[in-house]
Amino acid sequence: MFLGLGLGPISIVTTSVLYAGNGEYAAIADMLKQPRTSEDAINSTLKAFPKYVVNSKKDPCGPVMLNLAMKVDLPPALFARMILEQHLINSDDNEDENVSKLQVNQLLKDTHLIQDPVLSFQVQQAVLNDMTYGPIVESIKHSVGNEYEFLLKSHLKKNNISFIREEEMRSKGYDKTPDIKLQIPIAMDGYIINWIESKASFGDKVSQANYLKDQFWSYVNRFGSGLVIYWFGYIEELDVHRDRGIALAQHFPNSLVTFNPLKVENRVHNS
């Protein structure tokens, strides 16, 4: 069963997942996975590099890189990255066979910095036509993520719930930090929440498995039980770790129990 929220900038792929039947999910989930960067994909790109060199000379303003990316079944921006890396390795200015990731990232973001004008145009064309990978997609994800983190903080402030932001925790030396660490825990239907993670995405099997491994279990080990909000919905069957400290939701909880020190103090004085 799929749980979805009918608000926010939901992509075509996400909307498809929300309304897909169980039989269609596997195919759609493949679309949501990270682009393949296997040995096979790398070899395919290396073989395509000479074709790019020849074809780009014949048709410098044509969709050479886009067409080759389609043939090797890679997102255009990822294919452009690998072609760009190969170009830099083969350049006369490069004394070794290594190219820094930082340099490639900078050139993908600012294609006018690429000295070869044809390559610069081809990379720009690939980046602009990629809806799943690359600097433009990452900027959109980052922007949407910030919007929903702001929404989460607005809910907390509205309910007078004190919290520590991720940036503050990092400044104190924490290595694994959720978006929000509550200063005083709250309860949702009897479940204790010490931290909240905001995910401006759909919670599918692949992303949830990766988040559990890379983030969520670390939060539980450090701060106790917490809540993950998938603002664009999630697969209900994935919410199976509440007894171990990880609960899923698709919006900010409507019913909360908060700790009020003043009430406790009054009870002590009256007893």
Side-chain angles (χ1 to χ4, degrees):
M1 179 177 178
F2 303 108
L3 299 178
L5 182 66
L7 298 174
I10 302 180
S11 69
I12 294 174
V13 173
T14 303
T15 305
S16 300
V17 172
L18 295 180
Y19 295 100
N22 290 333
E24 297 173 281
Y25 173 73
I28 296 172
D30 286 338
M31 297 172 63
L32 293 169
K33 292 180 182 178
Q34 288 294 317
R36 64 185 181 93
T37 53
S38 63
E39 195 73 28
D40 178 57
I42 295 172
N43 290 335
S44 297
T45 305
L46 291 176
K47 290 178 182 178
F49 182 72
K51 293 182 182 178
Y52 162 76
V53 173
V54 173
N55 293 347
S56 62
K57 288 180 180 179
K58 293 179 180 178
D59 188 12
C61 296
V64 175
M65 195 168 283
L66 285 171
N67 291 338
L68 288 173
M70 188 179 299
K71 287 184 179 179
V72 298
D73 191 28
L74 281 177
L78 179 56
F79 181 77
R81 166 187 282 278
M82 299 171 79
I83 291 293
L84 180 58
E85 289 175 349
Q86 196 61 33
H87 170 81
L88 294 173
I89 289 173
N90 294 343
S91 65
D92 295 333
D93 297 332
N94 190 38
E95 296 180 354
D96 55 33
E97 295 186 356
N98 296 318
V99 177
S100 73
K101 184 177 179 180
L102 182 64
Q103 180 187 10
V104 176
N105 287 340
Q106 185 63 41
L107 293 177
L108 284 173
K109 291 178 182 178
D110 302 318
T111 54
H112 68 278
L113 296 176
I114 301 174
Q115 295 182 359
D116 185 322
V118 175
L119 180 60
S120 175
F121 172 78
Q122 292 290 334
V123 171
Q124 182 186 56
Q125 198 176 43
V127 170
L128 291 175
N129 284 277
D130 198 323
M131 296 186 293
T132 61
Y133 181 87
I136 295 178
V137 174
E138 290 305 313
S139 295
I140 293 173
K141 287 181 181 178
H142 183 71
S143 178
V144 174
N146 284 340
E147 288 183 19
Y148 280 90
E149 281 187 35
F150 178 81
L151 177 62
L152 171 59
K153 292 170 186 175
S154 298
H155 280 300
L156 292 169
K157 291 176 182 177
K158 182 180 178 180
N159 287 274
N160 296 316
I161 299 172
S162 58
F163 61 90
I164 304 173
R165 296 174 302 169
E166 182 179 11
E167 298 81 9
E168 297 176 73
M169 296 189 69
R170 288 194 180 278
S171 67
K172 294 179 180 180
Y174 288 96
D175 56 341
K176 294 285 187 177
T177 55
D179 293 321
I180 295 294
K181 170 67 174 70
L182 302 181
Q183 291 187 316
I184 301 174
I186 59 177
M188 174 188 70
D189 298 327
Y191 177 82
I192 303 300
I193 300 172
N194 295 283
W195 53 268
I196 304 176
E197 181 75 8
S198 172
K199 294 298 182 187
S201 59
F202 176 80
D204 65 274
K205 292 181 180 179
V206 175
S207 60
Q208 173 70 355
N210 289 332
Y211 287 140
L212 284 170
K213 180 181 66 175
D214 298 334
Q215 296 179 318
F216 302 160
W217 291 129
S218 296
Y219 301 162
V220 172
N221 291 336
R222 287 164 174 78
F223 310 114
S225 57
L227 177 69
V228 179
I229 302 179
Y230 281 111
W231 296 100
F232 296 158
Y234 63 92
I235 301 173
E236 188 177 25
E237 288 77 9
L238 297 178
D239 191 10
V240 294
H241 298 297
R242 292 195 176 210
D243 59 335
R244 298 178 63 189
I246 300 172
L248 305 185
Q250 60 178 339
H251 53 71
F252 189 81
N254 295 320
S255 178
L256 291 172
V257 177
T258 58
F259 174 72
N260 190 331
L262 294 178
K263 289 184 178 180
V264 175
E265 185 178 354
N266 290 335
R267 287 178 183 176
V268 172
H269 287 306
N270 294 333
S271 60

